[in-house]
Amino acid sequence: EIDLVIYDRWGGIVFETKDLGVFWNGKNINSGQICSDGVYYYTCLVSEIHLKGLEYRKLGGFVHLLSQDPTR
């Protein structure tokens, strides 16, 4: 299981999912529009199965979103 959230530079949520099969396509989850080029921060809580049972790991980092459209 995962709990992935991607934030813009102002702390607004632009994407979130708990589905392992869903990937961020660069669109804002609320407006459906492509997000601006820039740096986005993500947090992800991952549950892993170990011999001792279920353990949780917190991950976080940055994603650099760059447009492939040269007119943008």
Side-chain angles (χ1 to χ4, degrees):
E1 294 179 13
I2 65 163
D3 186 3
L4 172 68
V5 182
I6 300 176
Y7 303 90
D8 62 19
R9 73 176 97 186
W10 299 280
I13 295 174
V14 295
F15 180 77
E16 60 185 331
T17 188
K18 293 178 186 271
D19 187 345
L20 284 169
V22 174
F23 300 99
W24 186 39
N25 59 5
K27 293 184 179 180
N28 186 304
I29 198 167
N30 298 313
S31 70
Q33 295 191 359
I34 300 264
C35 293
S36 301
D37 290 359
V39 179
Y40 294 80
Y41 184 75
Y42 72 88
T43 60
C44 188
L45 182 62
V46 180
S47 61
E48 301 174 327
I49 299 172
H50 292 267
L51 292 175
K52 299 180 206 174
L54 204 57
E55 293 184 14
Y56 295 93
R57 185 170 17 151
K58 291 182 182 180
L59 304 172
F62 297 93
V63 175
H64 295 259
L65 184 64
L66 302 173
S67 171
Q68 292 183 347
D69 181 0
T71 62
R72 270 183 86 187

